Amino acid sequence: MEYEAVIGMEVHVQLLTKSKMFCSCSAEAFGAEPNTHVCPVCLGMPGSLPVINRKAVEYTIMAGLALNCQIAEFAKFDRKNYFYPDLPKGYQISQYDLPIATNGWLEIETENGHKRIRIRRVHLEEDTAKLFHMGDYTLVDFNRAGIPLLEIVSEPDMSTPEEARQYLIKLRTILRYLGISTADMEKGAMRCEANVSLRPKGSKELGTRVEIKNINSFRFVKQALEYEIERQRKLLEQGRSVEQITVGWDDQRNITVVQRTKEYAHDYRYFPEPDLPPLVISREWVEEIRARLPELPDARRERFQQQYGLSPAEARVLTAEKEPADYFEACVALYPEPKKLANWITGEFFRLLRDTGTSFEDVKVSPEKLVKLLRLVDEGTINQNTAKAVLREMFETGEDPQKIVEKKGLSRITDTAYIQSVIEEVLDANPDALQRYLGGKESTFGFFMGQVMKATKGRADPKLASKLLREKLTELKKNS
Amino acid sequence: MKLYELTIHEAHELLKKGEVTSSELVSAVVERVEGVEPRVKSYITLTCEQALERARQADELIARLRKSGEEIPPLLGIPIAIKDIICTEGIRTTCASRILENFIPPYDATVIIRLKKAGMVMIGKTNLDEFAMGSSTENSAFFPTRNPWDLERVPGGSSGGSAAAVAAGECIGSLGTDTGGSVRQPAALCGVVGLKPTYGRVSRYGLVAFASSLDQIGPITKDVTDAALLLNIIAGYDPHDSTSVNVPVPDYTKALVPDVKGIKLGVPKEYFIEGMEEGVEKAVREAIAKLEEMGAEVIEISLPHTEYALPAYYLIAPAEASANLARYDGVKYGLFLPGPDLWESYRLTRGNGFGPEVKRRIMLGTYALSAGYYDAYYLKAQKVRTLIKQDFDRAFEQVDVIVAPTSPTVAFRLGEKVDDPLKMYLSDVFTIPVNLAGICGISIPCGFSGGLPVGLQIMGPAFGEEIVLRVAYAYEQATEWHKKRPEL
């Protein structure tokens, strides 16, 4: 029997607010000395009380709008109860039945064209502390506890691991476009869980689903899902059933490992958080936020095709992240040749990013400098190949292209064949002068030299040009 | 008159006139504590030395203010006791629990910040039922407090230490907390005044949570004027408590008018029930008659859902408590008893750290919130809560305040109800509805039954503290009950 996978994603994203979700501690805690960004509130000290971070609610609304969700007029926070040392209060303040945003979608590209993945809900909660297991003891760092965390839950609308990966990439792009999260998986600012079940192809019924936790890179998402789908397929083909379990992805051994079976499923005993009033979200506020939403990737891609005449592929590559798209537009403003720019940026520029492992934020080549480089090519100061070499150097040093060209004498023409061809042209164009020379008037040499330099805009290597000219003239004299 | 017997406003007058110093006042109270504390046992922690130091500072300030002709704030230099569930920076806050026996908060509760700013001299932290769960102070993990009127009897609870300390002259005034009657019931049983403000009137920041949607801090004092004075200081919006309400704070002492003419008193028939102590009913009926005689209009009313208040409370409060007390896991502060693994450590720490009543309520609450039971218990209880609130809303369309007994009995004997939680819970049957509705109420002395004080409860609408205080003050001024002191 042929099976198809049904995949849903649950993604947690740290928000880029200045302060934590319910207290005034700094939320920029990554890399800080452990337990330095803490206070009675985020440590869950007795008697402390939470206060809602308005910015975090605003960011959640932004995410909800960007994901085409409905924004609740009335939302509330709930307590999710469980014991674990990473949870200072013994409960997490989260949202249960009335999340801030519901019923949205985002679009991904698949082999068969666009596909809409529905978003079930977007809610706001607080992050937990970070545990460091040290063998026979564990250390707790509460810097992370209380950082605003967005939970984005999709419907099970994905059917391949690649679609799941595309979904995550698209989600990350949108969040970055909004500027509400770094969505950096390596730093734990974006974490994802997938649930996957198999069913006979064409069937409408859902099979037993398995949850995969701890998948912290795009690559692992794909690997973990592929592994899990294969595992389930084998079970089903053997006539066995899939158990409802939670597994973790072991990226050392490239397998999923059982973390929890159904019998140990938590009862979180959700109930409304009595320390916080319900959130009443006015339509005026939502519209005000909507009005200042930045242009989102899909819209920008469309516009790049329309406005700049780019191909769908170029537009997609340029708009997949906010930074290159911004970069491109900054360049276009200085140098209205979008096709040429797109070519350079998606080609040489991206290759250098990849080769040098540079992220876009760290690029030293400003749009002004890139444009200057292209102008040097246009003016014929350097050729295409030289420009590529110059760009590589600009990447490393951030230096001005003009300066690099001058310093390295890259504009000097040392191409023997080329100079010879110029000499030919000069001689052909001045038959009288040539006759005079052949007639013994040696001083005409200076005239030819001048013409060659003029024809190469002074860039021909004078020594080489002089040598080649003399060779040519000597040869002509001999033959005459 | 002995200095420790003074009220806040009396002491303030003497301080203002320079007839006594804060040091003398505090010393008198400290001496009184030394004399009676071994018998009454109101305090878990005494801070007498710091208090004497603070008193010296207060005296300096009073001298300075008098010199410059500035007004002397009403609480400056006056010794106050604080229920040991309100966080005090640098001074251990135990909640009368083994699990927090050595917990020293690094911060003050908002009410403490306000009282300190007003010049309070804190004399100590008073005993209570563990985590404020109880009605007799017998659930303290350390020792029970005795009723100053009869040392064989309980002071009520959970703010039993605060009420006993006021009644015994071990402080001039005190703060308690009221989740289901924990200020009013011990005030009634100890013959003093106890005010439960409207939910949201006083910040809960730094009050160790029992049931967050019900907890409220309130004053326990020797008379109504003192209650108004303390409320003036502790009331008000606090940005650190999202449930505190941004309603202007009036000067509550302005409401103290000895006149109830034309005020409509509602007398709910559901509050005069079978099984209630005869002497209590008699004293309360007489108090109502007195108010009527003074010109108030007495109207019989009905609060039809009253009988469901107690069961609803014992679902909602434990449910919230089960979450609020989850943080005591030994990882960050408080008792930690290490076991072979994490779960065993939790079991040992919490198993030994909490007393039986706390465990009972954690279990009740956990059960009420569990999957499959939530709708039948917690959600249903919340609906009942709405109905109770509507009962009061309707009543207050008709009357200005509601008068009733504070507790169905006078102080009972130590040990009398400890083995029967249900009987103990019934002690709060008349006070719980006020918490569920989020409104305000006061208990004032209105007589004696068998030589023990009886409390009259006056309930007002949300943010109706002024009318409640006015009726209480008028009654107090027309009677002598508040001047009675136990012999110790």
Side-chain angles (χ1 to χ4, degrees):
Chain A
M1 196 184 311
E2 218 186 318
Y3 292 100
E4 71 171 349
V6 179
I7 302 167
M9 302 291 285
E10 196 180 299
V11 177
H12 286 94
V13 182
Q14 282 182 343
L15 292 179
L16 265 179
T17 51
K18 285 202 181 71
S19 56
K20 289 188 179 180
M21 187 59 230
F22 298 115
C23 62
S24 56
C25 285
S26 166
E28 293 152 32
F30 186 83
E33 188 81 1
N35 296 311
T36 52
H37 293 236
V38 293
C39 74
V41 176
C42 57
L43 285 175
M45 299 285 272
S48 65
L49 293 171
V51 177
I52 299 168
N53 181 335
R54 186 184 165 92
K55 201 77 191 169
V57 176
E58 185 182 315
Y59 282 0
T60 309
I61 295 170
M62 282 172 77
L65 291 173
L67 295 170
N68 308 293
C69 290
Q70 286 152 12
I71 307 299
E73 290 185 39
F74 186 90
K76 68 175 170 70
F77 287 99
D78 300 275
R79 290 186 182 177
K80 178 181 181 180
N81 298 285
Y82 63 94
F83 282 99
Y84 209 57
D86 68 1
L87 203 55
K89 297 187 292 295
Y91 57 84
Q92 179 189 32
I93 304 178
S94 180
Q95 297 193 279
Y96 185 53
D97 54 342
L98 295 171
I100 291 174
T102 52
N103 294 325
W105 51 266
L106 64 71
E107 217 164 56
I108 59 168
E109 312 274 336
T110 70
E111 288 166 353
N112 314 315
H114 297 310
K115 181 171 176 180
R116 250 184 206 194
I117 310 297
R118 289 169 301 156
I119 307 285
R120 185 181 298 168
R121 56 185 284 157
V122 179
H123 81 237
L124 190 52
E125 58 188 31
E126 54 179 340
D127 208 345
T128 56
K130 206 165 174 187
L131 298 182
F132 296 89
H133 299 291
M134 315 295 286
D136 56 351
Y137 66 97
T138 298
L139 297 173
V140 194
D141 178 7
F142 288 98
N143 283 351
R144 201 180 73 177
I147 290 179
L149 204 59
L150 210 59
E151 182 177 311
I152 302 161
V153 183
S154 83
E155 295 291 346
D157 287 350
M158 288 150 275
S159 38
T160 66
E162 177 56 21
E163 285 182 14
R165 200 178 78 93
Q166 289 299 331
Y167 169 81
L168 284 181
I169 290 172
K170 189 56 172 284
L171 196 56
R172 183 179 68 171
T173 306
I174 291 171
L175 295 166
R176 287 184 174 176
Y177 262 71
L178 294 172
I180 62 174
S181 176
T182 63
D184 188 336
M185 285 186 103
E186 275 68 42
K187 289 183 179 165
M190 178 161 160
R191 292 163 238 158
C192 81
E193 291 162 33
N195 57 71
V196 56
S197 62
L198 256 55
R199 65 179 172 198
K201 200 154 192 166
S203 161
K204 287 280 164 228
E205 246 170 87
L206 290 168
T208 307
R209 59 178 219 170
V210 168
E211 261 184 66
I212 313 174
K213 289 186 183 284
N214 193 31
I215 28 185
N216 293 326
S217 82
F218 293 117
R219 195 158 49 92
F220 295 158
V221 169
K222 211 172 155 183
Q223 285 178 353
L225 280 167
E226 277 163 358
Y227 179 88
E228 185 56 32
I229 289 166
E230 200 43 41
R231 191 185 70 85
Q232 291 186 23
R233 189 196 315 279
K234 277 186 191 146
L235 282 173
L236 294 173
E237 277 167 359
Q238 288 163 7
R240 292 158 68 186
S241 61
V242 173
E243 261 185 287
Q244 191 185 324
I245 50 171
T246 301
V247 299
W249 176 244
D250 181 336
D251 60 24
Q252 301 299 312
R253 294 186 288 165
N254 286 342
I255 56 168
T256 55
V257 184
V258 179
Q259 286 187 341
R260 195 161 67 209
T261 55
K262 193 186 172 189
E263 298 86 80
Y264 290 95
H266 281 305
D267 176 1
Y268 291 120
R269 305 188 309 279
Y270 282 99
F271 75 102
E273 167 57 276
D275 286 332
L276 295 171
L279 278 173
V280 178
I281 301 168
S282 76
R283 295 304 93 180
E284 290 74 37
W285 193 28
V286 174
E287 288 317 309
E288 189 252 312
I289 293 170
R290 193 195 303 274
R292 45 186 177 82
L293 277 187
E295 188 182 30
L296 292 166
D298 287 351
R300 201 169 200 184
R301 190 190 60 218
E302 282 296 311
R303 184 167 62 81
F304 274 25
Q305 286 175 239
Q306 303 293 329
Q307 186 177 341
Y308 302 124
L310 303 185
S311 71
E314 286 169 330
R316 192 172 58 243
V317 171
L318 279 175
T319 56
E321 293 286 351
K322 186 170 182 294
E323 290 80 9
D326 287 346
Y327 190 92
F328 169 77
E329 294 215 272
C331 292
V332 172
L334 300 166
Y335 184 78
E337 298 221 37
K339 281 298 271 187
K340 203 190 253 181
L341 279 165
N343 209 7
W344 268 91
I345 294 171
T346 62
E348 202 54 27
F349 203 91
F350 276 21
R351 183 172 15 257
L352 284 167
L353 283 177
R354 260 197 316 276
D355 291 355
T356 57
T358 315
S359 69
F360 223 101
E361 299 92 85
D362 301 328
V363 165
K364 293 175 182 156
V365 182
S366 66
E368 288 76 14
K369 286 176 185 161
L370 180 69
V371 164
K372 213 164 177 182
L373 179 70
L374 300 195
R375 289 218 166 97
L376 289 173
V377 178
D378 291 348
E379 289 157 5
T381 309
I382 50 174
N383 65 24
Q384 198 86 357
N385 280 332
T386 308
K388 284 179 185 173
V390 171
L391 184 60
R392 185 169 290 270
E393 175 140 3
M394 288 163 74
F395 244 78
E396 282 160 17
T397 62
E399 217 177 327
D400 186 275
Q402 181 85 50
K403 289 217 177 91
I404 296 172
V405 166
E406 280 168 16
K407 193 175 70 191
K408 299 215 157 173
L410 292 175
S411 64
R412 192 158 299 167
I413 298 167
T414 53
D415 183 336
T416 304
Y418 175 72
I419 295 174
Q420 280 171 337
S421 73
V422 173
I423 290 170
E424 298 272 0
E425 281 169 27
V426 166
L427 296 179
D428 283 354
N430 297 287
D432 297 347
L434 179 60
Q435 283 312 313
R436 278 201 298 280
Y437 180 85
L438 295 177
K441 203 162 185 254
E442 293 269 329
S443 62
T444 323
F445 183 85
F447 167 77
F448 290 129
M449 209 31 217
Q451 290 301 304
V452 169
M453 291 315 281
K454 195 179 168 192
T456 58
K457 296 193 177 102
R459 293 188 298 115
D461 180 26
K463 262 187 198 153
L464 181 63
S466 161
K467 179 174 157 261
L468 293 175
L469 181 64
R470 198 165 298 281
E471 278 171 15
K472 182 72 189 169
L473 290 172
T474 310
E475 185 195 327
L476 287 172
K477 206 165 186 178
K478 208 182 280 171
N479 296 344
S480 66
Chain B
M1 188 171 216
K2 308 221 170 49
L3 288 180
Y4 62 78
E5 289 184 339
L6 295 171
T7 63
I8 294 172
H9 58 95
E10 287 165 352
H12 173 66
E13 285 306 314
L14 296 179
L15 287 167
K16 204 160 79 176
K17 288 185 205 140
E19 286 175 21
V20 294
T21 63
S22 174
S23 298
E24 288 165 349
L25 182 63
V26 173
S27 298
V29 169
V30 168
E31 260 171 57
R32 174 68 173 174
V33 169
E34 282 163 359
V36 304
E37 180 61 8
R39 283 173 285 155
V40 181
K41 300 185 83 61
S42 301
Y43 289 97
I44 291 174
T45 302
L46 278 160
T47 53
C48 296
E49 270 177 45
Q50 291 106 303
L52 288 166
E53 177 52 35
R54 293 271 297 180
R56 269 190 294 280
Q57 291 166 5
D59 283 331
E60 280 170 28
L61 183 55
I62 290 169
R64 248 200 336 271
L65 290 172
R66 195 172 316 106
K67 210 179 214 170
S68 63
E70 284 171 82
E71 203 167 320
I72 293 162
L75 201 61
L76 180 56
I78 297 189
I80 300 292
I82 304 293
K83 188 179 185 179
D84 203 22
I85 197 168
I86 299 171
C87 285
T88 44
E89 185 180 344
I91 293 164
R92 74 176 182 144
T93 300
T94 67
C95 301
S97 180
R98 292 278 171 221
I99 213 154
L100 287 179
E101 190 167 359
N102 297 308
F103 173 63
I104 298 175
Y107 48 92
D108 274 329
T110 298
V111 291
I112 299 297
I113 292 170
R114 285 168 179 256
L115 288 174
K116 279 185 175 171
K117 228 172 115 190
M120 156 192 81
V121 174
M122 190 176 84
I123 198 91
K125 306 290 296 283
T126 56
N127 200 15
L128 63 148
D129 288 295
E130 186 176 0
F131 284 103
M133 297 176 187
S135 310
S136 69
T137 315
E138 291 166 292
N139 293 334
S140 167
F142 307 129
F143 47 80
T145 296
R146 310 288 174 134
N147 191 315
W149 292 90
D150 178 349
L151 296 172
E152 296 308 307
R153 289 175 188 266
V154 301
S158 65
S159 311
S162 289
V166 172
E170 293 186 280
C171 63
I172 301 298
S174 70
L175 285 192
T177 66
D178 193 316
T179 305
S182 284
V183 158
R184 289 161 289 155
Q185 185 259 16
L189 270 49
C190 291
V192 292
V193 173
L195 171 68
K196 194 231 71 106
T198 304
Y199 186 79
R201 177 76 293 188
V202 178
S203 168
R204 293 185 297 114
Y205 192 88
L207 159 61
V208 180
F210 157 20
S212 313
S213 74
L214 300 158
D215 297 340
Q216 194 65 192
I217 296 169
I220 298 178
T221 53
K222 291 171 185 169
D223 68 11
V224 175
T225 305
D226 281 4
L229 279 170
L230 282 182
L231 185 61
N232 272 352
I233 295 164
I234 62 172
Y237 173 68
D238 176 10
H240 295 294
D241 175 2
S242 303
T243 63
S244 75
V245 183
N246 203 349
V247 169
V249 180
D251 178 355
Y252 288 108
T253 60
K254 294 242 161 66
L256 305 175
V257 181
D259 173 21
V260 289
K261 275 188 209 75
I263 286 179
K264 294 185 179 118
L265 302 183
V267 179
K269 56 175 193 249
E270 292 83 1
Y271 282 61
F272 294 86
I273 50 167
E274 200 79 19
M276 155 177 198
E277 195 173 309
E278 222 175 284
V280 170
E281 177 163 4
K282 187 165 169 283
V284 171
R285 293 271 188 213
E286 279 171 11
I288 294 168
K290 177 77 189 171
L291 283 164
E292 191 168 23
E293 182 194 310
M294 289 163 66
E297 188 185 338
V298 174
I299 301 165
E300 184 168 301
I301 59 163
S302 173
L303 297 165
H305 297 94
T306 301
E307 63 172 309
Y308 304 109
L310 195 76
Y313 175 87
Y314 276 98
L315 289 166
I316 293 166
E320 292 180 9
S322 72
N324 283 330
L325 273 62
R327 68 189 64 197
Y328 308 112
D329 58 5
V331 173
K332 306 162 293 286
Y333 45 75
L335 182 74
F336 178 59
L337 298 173
D341 59 38
L342 178 66
W343 293 101
E344 202 48 42
S345 300
Y346 282 164
R347 252 192 289 273
L348 281 169
T349 301
R350 292 171 64 82
N352 289 284
F354 291 133
E357 182 61 28
V358 172
K359 286 181 196 161
R360 182 178 297 125
R361 296 203 196 186
I362 290 173
M363 285 188 280
L364 277 173
T366 303
Y367 187 77
L369 291 174
S370 295
Y373 299 99
Y374 180 89
D375 288 1
Y377 294 123
Y378 183 81
L379 201 62
K380 187 71 142 281
Q382 289 291 9
K383 287 176 180 165
V384 169
R385 186 174 184 174
T386 304
L387 292 174
I388 285 163
K389 196 174 170 299
Q390 287 169 353
D391 278 359
F392 280 108
D393 288 346
R394 266 192 292 274
F396 286 122
E397 283 170 16
Q398 211 188 331
V399 299
D400 298 308
V401 292
I402 295 168
V403 288
T406 304
S407 179
T409 66
V410 291
F412 40 93
R413 291 183 183 283
L414 270 99
E416 193 180 323
K417 297 183 182 178
V418 280
D419 296 327
D420 189 346
L422 276 182
K423 221 170 169 186
M424 187 74 91
Y425 295 171
L426 278 169
S427 195
D428 293 328
V429 68
F430 297 148
T431 46
I432 278 171
V434 164
N435 299 82
L436 288 174
I439 61 175
C440 61
I442 197 169
S443 177
I444 56 170
C446 72
F448 288 84
S449 170
L452 293 164
V454 174
L456 172 70
Q457 185 178 201
I458 305 166
M459 297 168 257
F463 299 97
E465 281 82 358
E466 286 167 288
I467 183 76
V468 164
L469 285 164
R470 175 177 166 183
V471 174
Y473 180 74
Y475 176 81
E476 180 187 88
Q477 292 305 302
T479 57
E480 295 288 311
W481 307 116
H482 65 290
K483 292 186 178 155
K484 303 265 191 263
R485 295 282 175 267
E487 274 172 44
L488 272 166

